[in-house]
């Protein structure tokens, strides 16, 4: 069918199922304005010899060309993709756990695929949300999701992906810090042939994205910092947790800050030099940890960054 927009390959069940193939075929007919009375001829010309032979056997003693388009599609679907058992499909869905090395997004995609023939109807999103929470490997993410009184599939996925990303970032940061410590020790002792590294006079540049306002409502957390209740915005785009100088003085008074060797970069590319950093005790959801809180001159939002996650 030369001269037509796009291309439809012969049907190959090792590549896609029959339903998916028909969906692409109908879009092909639509974009090429194939008349209804030509659809059967077009289908029989495109499906390939293997599928045509199968169809010929299924329509005996009639010929495939004697059938209408919908009848051919239905006949092949019943043969190639028989309706599966709902109980069996739901069994496979509910026993699926997140696999080792499988990201949250990959896991959600698998669950959506498994739910295709489960006929969950209007409960689909709630069922996907429940299976996501129950099947996650990371217990810390599970606890965070279970602490929410109201939780949609979209929000559960967003939080889980954010915490997963933060965990990976924290792991990479610890690895980088170990490498830097090793290099400093090597340079001091001279016990290795490793070449010395040049760290930007020891100044790191970290991202700080939440200066940009998103259309979606922010995720706000009530966090206890050195015993003080502070409302903070969860921001996985921010490498560190920050507070404005004004807010810092309102909450902590004139407590001293330690100098720090980092620069923060906003989403617009603006670079900020923190006024200093203070080590604080952070408490949230029954967990407690010593963390670093950076103070900046301007800003209106307290940011709960990846380092705290």
């Amino acid at each position: 069918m030369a001269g037509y927009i796009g291309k439809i390959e012969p049907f190959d069940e090792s590549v896609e199922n029959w339903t998916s193939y028909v969906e692409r075929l109908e879009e092909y007919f639509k974009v090429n304005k194939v008349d209804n009375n030509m659809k059967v001829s077009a289908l029989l010309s495109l499906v390939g010899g293997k599928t045509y032979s199968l169809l010929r056997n299924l329509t005996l003693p009639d010929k495939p060309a004697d059938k209408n388009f919908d009848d051919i599609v239905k006949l092949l679907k019943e043969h190639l993709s028989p309706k599966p058992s709902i109980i069996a499909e739901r069994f496979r869905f509910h026993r699926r756990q997140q696999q080792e090395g499988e990201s949250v997004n990959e896991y959600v995609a698998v669950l959506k695929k498994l739910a295709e023939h489960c006929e969950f109807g209007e409960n689909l999103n709630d069922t996907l949300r429940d299976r996501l929470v129950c099947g996650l490997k990371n217990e810390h993410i599970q606890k965070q999701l279970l602490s929410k009184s109201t939780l949609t599939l979209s929000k559960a996925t967003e939080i889980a992906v954010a915490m997963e990303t933060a965990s990976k970032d924290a792991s990479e940061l610890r690895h980088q810090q170990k490498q830097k410590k090793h290099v400093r020790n090597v340079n001091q002792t001279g016990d290795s042939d490793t070449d010395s590294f040049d760290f930007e006079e020891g100044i790191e540049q970290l991202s700080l994205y939440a200066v940009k306002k998103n259309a979606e409502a922010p995720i706000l957390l009530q966090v206890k910092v050195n015993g003080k209740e502070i409302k903070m915005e969860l921001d996985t785009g921010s490498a560190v947790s920050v507070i404005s100088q004004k807010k810092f003085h309102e909450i902590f008074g004139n407590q001293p800050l330690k100098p720090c060797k980092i620069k923060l970069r906003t989403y617009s590319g603006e670079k900020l030099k923190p006024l200093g950093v203070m080590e604080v005790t952070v408490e949230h959801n029954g967990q407690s940890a010593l963390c670093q809180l950076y103070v900046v001159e301007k800003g209106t939002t307290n940011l709960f960054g990846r380092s705290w996650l």
Side-chain angles (χ1 to χ4, degrees):
M1 301 183 72
Y4 280 70
I5 299 173
K7 180 182 178 182
I8 294 290
E9 308 83 2
F11 173 66
D12 183 352
E13 59 187 339
S14 68
V15 175
E16 62 184 327
N17 60 38
W18 176 247
T19 300
S20 172
Y21 184 80
V22 172
E23 288 174 357
R24 292 200 301 117
L25 194 63
E26 289 177 336
E27 292 303 313
Y28 180 81
F29 289 163
K30 187 186 300 181
V31 75
N32 288 294
K33 297 181 173 59
V34 177
D35 292 335
N36 287 335
N37 60 353
M38 293 295 294
K39 285 185 176 181
V40 170
S41 296
L43 183 150
L44 298 180
S45 300
L46 292 168
V47 293
K50 181 180 178 181
T51 306
Y52 181 82
S53 297
L54 170 63
L55 181 60
R56 198 168 184 273
N57 292 333
L58 294 174
T59 57
L60 285 174
D62 298 330
K63 291 183 178 180
D66 296 331
K67 303 292 183 180
N68 63 43
F69 180 80
D70 291 337
D71 287 342
I72 292 175
V73 169
K74 181 181 178 182
L75 194 62
L76 283 172
K77 182 177 181 179
E78 290 174 348
H79 182 83
L80 295 169
S81 306
K83 186 176 181 180
S85 163
I86 294 178
I87 295 177
E89 292 297 303
R90 290 185 177 182
F91 173 77
R92 279 189 283 270
F93 173 84
H94 286 296
R95 74 197 297 260
R96 181 57 159 85
Q97 303 284 102
Q98 185 182 21
Q99 304 297 312
E100 192 69 42
E102 185 176 54
S103 71
V104 171
N105 279 329
E106 289 170 339
Y107 181 44
V108 171
V110 169
L111 291 179
K112 288 182 177 179
K113 176 65 177 175
L114 289 173
E116 184 177 359
H117 300 292
C118 291
E119 297 187 12
F120 290 128
E122 295 180 355
N123 296 321
L124 175 61
N125 282 344
D126 284 350
T127 307
L128 284 167
R129 175 204 60 198
D130 295 346
R131 187 63 244 160
L132 167 63
V133 175
C134 294
L136 286 171
K137 289 183 66 66
N138 191 308
E139 292 184 3
H140 293 297
I141 299 178
Q142 274 185 326
K143 289 178 181 178
Q144 177 69 13
L145 296 179
L146 289 170
S147 70
K148 304 296 180 184
S149 57
T150 57
L151 188 68
T152 63
L153 171 63
S154 174
K155 187 61 69 174
T157 304
E158 179 185 338
I159 294 173
V161 169
M163 294 186 68
E164 177 186 64
T165 302
S167 178
K168 289 179 180 178
D169 287 346
S171 179
E172 290 176 4
L173 183 59
R174 286 194 296 269
H175 178 68
Q176 292 172 2
Q177 289 173 338
K178 286 181 180 178
Q179 284 185 320
K180 291 180 181 181
K181 184 177 180 181
H182 170 71
V183 171
R184 285 196 296 269
N185 291 339
V186 167
N187 289 339
Q188 289 171 1
T189 62
D191 289 339
S192 172
D193 294 331
T194 306
D195 293 334
S196 61
F197 286 73
D198 179 14
F199 297 114
E200 300 178 330
E201 297 178 353
I203 298 177
E204 293 183 87
Q205 292 189 23
L206 304 176
S207 58
L208 185 68
Y209 291 132
V211 174
K212 177 177 64 175
K213 291 298 181 185
N214 298 320
E216 189 172 346
I219 301 175
L220 298 177
L221 304 176
Q222 195 72 23
V223 185
K224 187 173 288 188
V225 181
N226 280 2
K228 307 284 188 179
E229 292 284 348
I230 303 179
K231 185 173 289 186
M232 305 187 78
E233 178 181 336
L234 176 64
D235 179 24
T236 58
S238 177
V240 295
S241 297
V242 301
I243 187 172
S244 69
Q245 182 183 31
K246 179 181 178 182
K247 203 68 178 176
F248 178 83
H249 286 314
E250 287 178 6
I251 299 172
F252 301 106
N254 294 319
Q255 292 192 41
L257 297 174
K258 295 180 181 179
C260 58
K261 290 188 175 182
I262 69 166
K263 285 185 179 179
L264 303 176
R265 184 179 66 254
T266 69
Y267 78 100
S268 63
E270 179 187 2
K271 293 179 181 178
L272 303 174
K273 180 71 172 70
L275 300 174
V277 62
M278 183 172 76
E279 191 171 75
V280 294
T281 299
V282 181
E283 298 174 72
H284 182 62
N285 273 356
Q287 300 181 66
S288 176
L290 283 176
C291 303
Q292 291 184 317
L293 177 64
Y294 289 85
V295 181
V296 295
E297 184 177 0
K298 300 177 181 178
T300 57
T301 305
N302 305 320
L303 299 182
F304 190 111
R306 296 194 302 270
S307 60
W308 283 20
L309 278 173

